[in-house]
């Protein structure tokens, strides 16, 4: 007969952390959130660590090169979405590895024939006051001019006025040459009292912008996640179909870590993919997703460097609803963490685990870490920010950003749900939606990290390992959930509070 679990499938919301003694030396500024993402032997150090336990999901609506740079600047890692051509994904990797702190790829660009109306719409969409005017309207086209707020007057200039009539033309711009150092670029900015400096190549094509406000960028990002060549660390998602073509291209582009992106990782296809990567390349490879001991042991046996945990817990995932497959995220993390610890005791090899899905509040991240996860993977959390690749639109007076699942008809990522059948998406396992726009990654991440570090101190812990050793966790009843929120009062209207993931 079928096997039945004796315990119910539980979520993070069913648990709370019980405080430990907070000593005087246990303060948020002393909390170290550094964590490994590649397996290592007892007594040794992981070959790849991140400075905060955050990774961004392998999703079209979340992880492109721009978000990868922003997250690496703050100590985390992005896994670039794999549901795109091999060449375009490899190019994203190259862009991240080529990015230098202070050298910005222009995100707001127009053509000379565009209008003031286009300028205002682009400014509202991205919030950028400096717009590069290129021949083809791209970030790498021939630079013809720059538009800033000083170049037009909304009260007097007609909205159909061509950009070519009010932009600062190239002939009067002070530009730098690509290849110059950040110090040389900043010297030009200060010498000529500029707010921004375009960097161009020998054909007058725009390559980067350097801004006066980024002068102290290196000091601004003390947690930058850099490789030995001082380039940003970046990951990428792959599948178990075209990995023999995709992986070589990503490795050649400089990718630091790979992860097989699948709703169910307990398959022979994943084992074969992991084995191929480990036999042919020196790159970190994660596998998953799994929800139990058996799945963990199987993928670790194939050679995986880290294991991703979670099926059906994402905010846009409907795998459980469609197929009846999955498990409550808290239960899944607990069992896989126990299996990880048993494996470590047996072999002396520590395999990090990533909790993917089920995060609704910031404290859920702390709970996931306390239950044994080494880091978490977030989708909706990052989709809300300026740096994510989706459009910001206004609905009902509020700004939102588009967010869709990899199993939705919009993404058409059938490889993620491949079970050896037809090469099509027969039914959806994700939805197409919106999330509340929340501003920049940095300001939101700082707030989340502040909450997490404060909770660590409440638990008397200064590291993730300490938390996992010392945390005390309790189940909560339905009535205590009500008690834990605001109750028995009349709340003043507050439209600025949103769940994080």
């Amino acid at each position: 007969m079928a096997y039945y679990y004796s315990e119910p499938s539980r979520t993070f919301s069913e648990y709370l952390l019980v405080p430990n003694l907070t000593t005087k030396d246990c303060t948020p500024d002393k909390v170290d959130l550094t964590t490994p993402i590649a397996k290592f032997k007892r007594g040794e150090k992981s070959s790849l660590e991140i400075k905060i336990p955050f990774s961004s999901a392998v999703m079209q609506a979340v992880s492109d090169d721009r978000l990868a740079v922003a997250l690496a600047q703050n100590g985390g890692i992005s896994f670039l979405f794999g549901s795109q051509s091999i060449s375009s994904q490899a190019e994203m990797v190259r862009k991240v590895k080529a990015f230098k702190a202070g050298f910005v790829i222009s995100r707001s660009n127009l053509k000379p024939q565009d209008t003031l109306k286009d300028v205002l719409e682009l400014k509202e969409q991205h919030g950028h006051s400096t717009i590069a005017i290129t021949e083809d309207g791209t970030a790498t086209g021939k630079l013809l001019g720059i538009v800033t707020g000083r170049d037009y007057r909304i009260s007097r200039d007609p909205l159909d006025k061509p950009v070519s009539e009010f932009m600062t033309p190239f002939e009067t711009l002070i530009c730098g040459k690509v290849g110059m150092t950040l110090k040389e670029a900043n010297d030009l900015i200060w010498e000529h009292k500029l707010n921004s400096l375009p960097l161009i190549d020998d054909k007058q094509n725009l390559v980067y912008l350097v801004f006066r406000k980024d002068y102290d960028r290196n000091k601004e990002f003390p947690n930058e996640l850099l490789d030995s060549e001082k380039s940003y660390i970046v990951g990428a998602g792959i599948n178990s179909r075209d990995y023999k073509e995709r992986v070589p291209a990503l490795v050649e582009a400089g990718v630091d870590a790979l992860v097989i992106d699948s709703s169910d990782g307990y398959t022979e296809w994943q084992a074969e993919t992991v084995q191929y990567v480990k036999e042919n390349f020196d790159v970190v490879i994660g596998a998953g997703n799994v929800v139990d001991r058996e799945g963990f042991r199987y993928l670790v046996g194939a050679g995986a460097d880290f294991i991703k945990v979670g099926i059906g817990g994402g905010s846009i995932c409907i795998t459980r609803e469609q197929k009846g497959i999955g498990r409550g995220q808290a239960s899944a993390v607990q069992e896989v963490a126990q299996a990880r610890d048993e494996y470590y005791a047996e072999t002396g090899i520590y395999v990090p685990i990533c909790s993917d899905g089920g995060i609704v509040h910031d404290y859920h991240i702390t709970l996931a870490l306390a239950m044994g996860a080494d880091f978490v993977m977030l989708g909706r959390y990052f989709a809300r920010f300026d740096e994510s690749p989706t459009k910001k639109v206004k609905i009902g007076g509020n700004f939102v950003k588009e967010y869709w699942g990899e199993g939705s008809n919009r993404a058409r990522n059938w490889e993620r749900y491949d079970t050896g059948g037809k090469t099509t998406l027969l039914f959806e396992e994700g939805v197409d939606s919106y999330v509340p726009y929340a501003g920049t990654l940095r300001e939101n991440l700082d707030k989340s990290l502040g909450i997490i570090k404060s909770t660590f101190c409440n638990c008397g812990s200064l590291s993730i390992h300490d938390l996992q050793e010392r945390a005390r966790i309790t189940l909560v009843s339905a009535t205590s959930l009500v008690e834990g929120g605001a109750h028995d009062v009349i709340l003043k209207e507050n439209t600025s509070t949103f769940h994080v993931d």
Side-chain angles (χ1 to χ4, degrees):
M1 62 179 290
Y3 177 80
Y4 290 86
Y5 285 83
S6 58
E7 287 293 319
S9 181
R10 297 193 183 278
T11 68
F12 292 131
S13 291
E14 296 177 76
Y15 293 91
L16 287 174
L17 289 155
V18 176
N20 286 321
L21 173 67
T22 302
T23 59
K24 290 182 179 179
D25 64 347
C26 192
T27 56
D29 61 298
K30 295 179 181 177
V31 174
D32 181 4
L33 295 177
T34 302
T35 190
I37 65 170
K39 65 185 178 185
F40 58 94
K41 294 180 180 179
R42 182 182 285 112
E44 298 181 358
K45 187 178 180 180
S46 174
S47 63
L48 185 57
E49 294 182 331
I50 51 180
K51 297 181 180 179
I52 59 172
F54 283 67
S55 65
S56 67
V58 188
M59 301 177 69
Q60 295 174 6
V62 178
S63 297
D64 69 349
D65 54 285
R66 186 171 180 235
L67 189 126
V69 167
L71 186 51
Q73 286 174 334
N74 289 279
I77 186 171
S78 287
F79 288 92
L80 302 171
F81 71 92
S83 50
Q84 59 178 313
S85 70
I86 294 172
S87 60
S88 62
Q89 190 184 23
E91 181 58 26
M92 280 190 182
V93 172
R94 277 189 281 271
K95 285 181 179 179
V96 177
K97 301 306 287 187
F99 189 94
K100 297 178 181 178
F103 292 82
V104 180
I105 298 173
S106 179
R107 293 284 288 186
S108 295
N109 311 284
L110 290 173
K111 300 185 293 294
Q113 57 266 39
D114 291 324
T115 64
L116 177 59
K117 181 174 182 290
D118 297 314
V119 169
L120 298 177
E121 288 178 351
L122 195 59
K123 184 177 179 180
E124 182 179 15
Q125 180 179 348
H126 292 299
H128 300 155
S129 58
T130 299
I131 298 173
I133 310 303
T134 60
E135 195 169 59
D136 58 2
T138 70
T140 57
K142 185 176 182 180
L143 182 64
L144 301 180
I146 292 287
V147 168
T148 70
R150 299 192 302 267
D151 293 314
Y152 56 85
R153 291 180 290 181
I154 300 176
S155 60
R156 297 189 182 184
D157 291 324
L159 292 178
D160 60 354
K161 186 174 183 178
V163 168
S164 58
E165 294 184 12
F166 60 88
M167 69 181 185
T168 302
F170 176 80
E171 292 74 22
T172 62
L173 291 176
I174 294 173
C175 297
K177 286 288 187 179
V178 66
M180 70 189 316
T181 66
L182 183 58
K183 182 182 184 304
E184 290 170 338
N186 281 319
D187 287 344
L188 270 180
I189 287 174
W190 287 98
E191 179 184 349
H192 296 280
K193 300 179 180 179
L194 306 173
N195 286 323
S196 65
L197 176 74
L199 265 61
I200 58 174
D201 63 15
D202 292 335
K203 296 182 179 179
Q204 200 177 311
N205 294 318
L206 178 63
V207 181
Y208 296 118
L209 292 172
V210 179
F211 292 93
R212 175 189 288 261
K213 63 182 176 63
D214 292 334
Y215 180 72
D216 294 322
R217 180 174 292 270
N218 289 333
K219 295 180 181 178
E220 184 184 355
F221 297 111
N223 282 331
E224 281 185 315
L225 194 64
L226 303 171
D227 63 18
S228 59
E229 302 297 323
K230 305 300 182 184
S231 294
Y232 287 123
I233 285 175
V234 63
I238 62 173
N239 61 68
S240 56
R241 278 279 180 166
D242 65 6
Y243 60 90
K244 290 185 178 179
E245 294 78 39
R246 188 174 294 270
V247 173
L250 294 173
V251 172
E252 190 276 332
V255 76
D256 298 284
L258 302 169
V259 66
I260 308 171
D261 183 39
S262 175
S263 65
D264 176 16
Y266 191 12
T267 72
E268 291 183 342
W269 291 285
Q270 281 227 6
E272 290 176 358
T273 305
V274 171
Q275 289 163 359
Y276 167 79
V277 173
K278 298 305 291 184
E279 290 170 1
N280 293 279
F281 303 97
D282 182 20
V283 64
V284 173
I285 173 71
N289 286 17
V290 300
V291 293
D292 59 11
R293 175 179 285 98
E294 289 78 13
F296 172 85
R297 295 294 294 234
Y298 181 75
L299 293 177
V300 168
D305 290 302
F306 69 87
I307 302 296
K308 200 143 64 77
V309 181
I311 294 177
S315 60
I316 42 70
C317 183
I318 55 173
T319 296
R320 298 179 194 173
E321 186 179 309
Q322 288 280 52
K323 297 166 69 175
I325 294 290
R327 195 176 189 186
Q329 189 66 12
S331 296
V333 170
Q334 290 170 33
E335 181 170 329
V336 174
Q338 184 178 4
R340 184 267 317 282
D341 293 343
E342 292 170 354
Y343 184 80
Y344 182 52
E346 293 171 16
T347 67
I349 298 174
Y350 186 92
V351 182
I353 62 174
C354 170
S355 177
D356 177 18
I359 302 295
V360 181
H361 304 283
D362 285 317
Y363 82 88
H364 287 171
I365 299 172
T366 314
L367 271 171
L369 298 173
M371 290 176 179
D374 295 280
F375 62 108
V376 298
M377 179 170 280
L378 303 170
R380 191 169 81 98
Y381 180 89
F382 290 112
R384 304 171 303 142
F385 303 152
D386 284 321
E387 293 85 354
S388 75
T390 61
K391 294 179 181 178
K392 184 175 75 173
V393 296
K394 200 170 188 178
I395 296 179
N398 294 314
F399 282 106
V400 296
K401 295 203 76 177
E402 296 178 308
Y403 180 48
W404 59 93
E406 288 299 292
S408 67
N409 277 325
R410 180 170 183 175
R412 304 301 298 175
N413 185 10
W414 67 268
E415 293 94 342
R416 189 176 198 271
Y417 304 89
D418 178 31
T419 54
K422 295 182 179 180
T423 58
T424 56
L425 194 66
L426 298 178
F427 56 91
E428 289 187 281
E429 292 189 43
V431 298
D432 195 348
S433 62
Y434 296 106
V435 290
Y437 168 69
T440 67
L441 179 146
R442 179 68 184 277
E443 62 184 334
N444 285 276
L445 190 58
D446 281 349
K447 180 180 178 181
S448 295
L449 290 171
I451 292 172
I452 291 168
K453 289 182 177 181
S454 179
T455 308
F456 268 57
C457 293
N458 293 139
C459 296
S461 303
L462 290 175
S463 70
I464 294 173
H465 177 73
D466 284 348
L467 183 70
Q468 292 170 350
E469 290 286 315
R470 306 186 63 190
R472 297 190 294 165
I473 302 172
T474 180
L475 277 168
V476 295
S477 66
T479 51
S480 68
L481 284 173
V482 176
E483 179 188 66
H487 59 91
D488 301 314
V489 294
I490 300 172
L491 293 177
K492 294 180 180 179
E493 185 177 0
N494 185 346
T495 59
S496 63
T497 302
F498 300 107
H499 290 324
V500 300
D501 190 89

